């Protein structure tokens, strides 16, 4: 949407978000984007934010939803995307260079979720995940991490402990206040503020 209609209200909102984040946070940081449940717009915001950030720096978008990936369905990457991805790197079955592809028509690079597994916490530790993200930050100005929703699965709570900044997408008239409070409590309980 950001590329297709640069003058839309949505595109302007994404540029405003980028401006606020650039003013508040330094480059070479990881930005995790999540939501309480699916369908609240986290992947849409992640992808479009990555496109906006690509206008001012080098960007990597990582899809970490290894259970229900959706980045490929929102892009025209289906045929070009490597089979290996995030989950394969975490398991030591692939190299980073084998898992990154450029998004056609843009200046961003994408790492898809890779081979599906049932639970990220069975594959790695928070410390190893942080080391992996720190390696990526040396090569990219912005690393945007699209995650699964927080309420139904534990993966995002795990990822949030290894990232620099964590954002919760809330969809107007859809996201329930009780869900937001529950997610915030879960994040605080794992030491994420």
């Amino acid at each position: 949407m950001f590329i297709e209609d640069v003058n839309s209200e949505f595109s302007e909102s994404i540029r405003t978000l980028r401006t606020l984040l650039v003013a508040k946070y330094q480059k070479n940081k990881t930005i995790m984007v999540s939501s309480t449940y699916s369908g609240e717009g986290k992947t849409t915001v992640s992808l479009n934010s990555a496109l906006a950030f690509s206008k001012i720096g080098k960007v990597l978008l990582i899809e970490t939803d290894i259970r229900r990936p959706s980045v490929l369905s929102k892009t025209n990457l289906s045929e070009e995307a490597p089979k290996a991805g995030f989950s394969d790197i975490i398991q030591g079955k692939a190299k980073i260079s084998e898992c990154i592809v450029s998004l056609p028509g843009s200046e961003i690079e994408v790492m898809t979720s890779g081979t599906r597994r049932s639970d990220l916490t069975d594959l790695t530790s928070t410390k190893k995940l942080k080391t992996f993200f720190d390696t990526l930050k040396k090569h990219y100005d912005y690393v945007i991490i699209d995650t699964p929703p927080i309420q139904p699965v534990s993966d995002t709570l795990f990822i949030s402990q290894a990232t620099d900044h964590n954002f919760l997408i809330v969809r107007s008239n859809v996201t329930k206040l009780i869900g937001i409070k529950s997610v915030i409590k879960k994040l605080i309980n794992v030491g994420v503020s």
Side-chain angles (χ1 to χ4, degrees):
M1 289 190 278
F2 182 78
I3 291 175
E4 292 171 359
D5 188 358
V6 295
N7 296 317
S8 71
E9 193 173 313
F10 176 81
S11 295
E12 191 57 40
S13 295
I14 292 293
R15 282 191 292 275
T16 300
L17 174 63
R18 177 191 65 197
T19 301
L20 293 170
L21 294 178
V22 167
K24 188 159 176 72
Y25 303 117
Q26 298 174 357
K27 282 185 175 182
N28 307 105
K29 300 291 182 185
T30 51
I31 300 170
M32 183 194 87
V33 181
S34 194
S35 63
T36 57
Y37 290 101
S38 61
E40 293 176 333
K42 64 182 167 32
T43 300
T44 299
V45 171
S46 297
L47 178 57
N48 285 282
S49 295
L51 291 167
F53 275 109
S54 72
K55 303 296 182 192
I56 61 171
K58 189 174 180 184
V59 178
L60 175 65
L61 173 64
I62 305 174
E63 178 176 42
T64 61
D65 192 339
I66 60 178
R67 300 172 200 230
R68 293 182 59 199
S70 61
V71 168
L72 289 180
S73 66
K74 294 186 183 299
T75 66
N76 52 357
L77 264 181
S78 299
E79 294 177 20
E80 295 90 0
K83 300 296 181 218
F86 173 73
S87 63
D88 304 290
I89 292 171
I90 296 303
Q91 295 176 77
K93 295 181 178 180
K95 296 178 184 172
I96 292 173
S97 60
E98 300 170 333
C99 300
I100 295 176
V101 63
S102 295
L103 180 67
S106 78
E107 297 175 25
I108 69 170
E109 293 182 346
V110 177
M111 179 185 296
T112 62
S113 61
T115 307
R116 291 187 192 182
R117 290 281 306 223
S118 61
D119 194 321
L120 182 62
T121 59
D122 292 341
L123 304 179
T124 190
S125 67
T126 302
K127 186 176 180 180
K128 288 180 183 176
L129 203 53
K130 177 135 182 60
T131 300
F132 168 64
F133 290 148
D134 288 346
T135 299
L136 294 173
K137 291 188 302 189
K138 293 175 186 173
H139 303 284
Y140 295 92
D141 297 316
Y142 305 98
V143 178
I144 298 176
I145 303 163
D146 181 49
T147 67
I150 295 174
Q151 288 290 50
V153 294
S154 62
D155 295 2
T156 304
L157 291 173
F158 190 68
I159 294 166
S160 69
Q161 297 172 67
T163 54
D164 297 309
H165 306 295
N166 301 297
F167 293 91
L168 183 66
I169 301 303
V170 176
R171 188 171 176 183
S172 179
N173 298 319
V174 173
T175 307
K176 305 280 189 240
L177 184 57
I178 193 165
I180 298 168
K181 288 180 179 179
S182 174
V183 163
I184 290 171
K185 186 176 180 180
K186 285 179 180 182
L187 289 168
I188 290 170
N189 284 340
V190 296
V192 175
S193 55

